[in-house]
Amino acid sequence: MGILSSVKGFFGRAGRFISAGLSQLFGLGFELTHRLPGLFGFFDYIFGWIGIRPKQKLYLRVVVLVEGSSPIVADLDAVYSIINEAKSIFLSQANVEIVPAVGSILSISPYPAPSAVLEVECGTDFWEDDFGEAGEFFRLHTVDMPLRSETGYGSPITAFIVKRIRGDGGLRRGCSMTFFEDYLLVSLPISPSRVLAHELAHTCGLSPIDSLHSSANNNLMNIDDLDGDKLTNYQAARLRNSPHVTYY
Ligand SMILES: [Zn+2]
């Protein structure tokens, strides 16, 4: 490796590090500043108890990655099925309508994905990956909506369908950086049907501030029984108070 490529490599890594750090910092900043006016979901919690829960919106784009020249998912119906399940759960449990972020809700990535992006780690390794090649790719291909993405208010979420997610000594079905990033991952094979809804809920703040997962088997955030689809009033209020969820 020549001196020039070493220098380029150093600035490439430094650039990724700075962009990931800023992105995570903005994620945290948006989380705090946007949750404060709604008193961190307190109003939604109180109104939810008396059945008042006006409809809100969440903008979503689902991106299927491409390996070589082929999308990694042959049957897009499987992807539509997890999108429809997420739509149904968010609407019935929190009166949040999931709508397409610019154009179609599902798209095939126009660029082939590097291997660091097709197979990723979850947990603290995912956080580390966010500073590397994978994070750079995901941030670059996360959908942008004018004003929303810059201010964080109603910023869209991008869900990437990847080949494999490793974590906790096994394979994971999905992974979210919670409020730190506007993107999340779902892996092949695409199951269970609620996987996208579960990861979206993490990104909308059902995360470390609350206990990460629920012990109730019928709950969306339970991970013993993978078909729970219910949210408590408290969870619905926290989800509705997310900066990603807005009235317009
Ligand atoms: Zn989870």
Side-chain angles (χ1 to χ4, degrees), residues 71-89:
I72 59 167
V73 182
D75 176 17
L76 292 182
D77 284 349
V79 186
Y80 278 115
S81 76
I82 58 167
I83 293 173
N84 289 335
E85 183 73 356
K87 280 182 170 182
S88 159
I89 292 173

Side-chain angles (χ1 to χ4, degrees), residues 172 174 176 194 198-199 202 206 212-213 220-223:
R172 302 277 298 263
S176 160
R194 62 153 213 186
H198 179 94
E199 299 305 334
H202 277 315
L206 299 193
L212 197 58
H213 290 119
L220 176 65
M221 304 319 282
N222 178 282
I223 50 167

Side-chain angles (χ1 to χ4, degrees), residues 235-247:
Q235 289 173 318
R238 278 201 48 83
L239 189 145
R240 288 171 58 83
N241 182 240
S242 163
H244 295 292
V245 177
T246 49
Y247 281 102

Side-chain angles (χ1 to χ4, degrees), residues 128-205:
E128 280 174 31
D129 277 355
D130 193 54
F131 289 92
E133 188 179 8
E136 182 180 46
F137 182 95
F138 291 133
R139 267 190 304 283
L140 206 61
H141 297 98
T142 291
V143 66
D144 266 329
M145 291 177 78
L147 290 178
R148 294 174 180 278
S149 298
E150 292 82 1
T151 62
Y153 187 74
S155 60
I157 296 176
T158 306
F160 292 96
I161 309 292
V162 302
K163 275 181 88 176
R164 205 159 293 126
I165 303 171
R166 275 184 289 269
D168 302 332
L171 293 178
R172 302 277 298 263
R173 293 149 199 271
C175 197
S176 160
M177 292 252 309
T178 69
F179 48 75
F180 285 112
E181 290 289 6
D182 287 352
Y183 68 82
L184 60 87
L185 310 177
V186 170
S187 88
L188 301 182
I190 297 170
S191 77
S193 55
R194 62 153 213 186
V195 61
L196 177 61
H198 179 94
E199 299 305 334
L200 278 171
H202 277 315
T203 302
C204 289

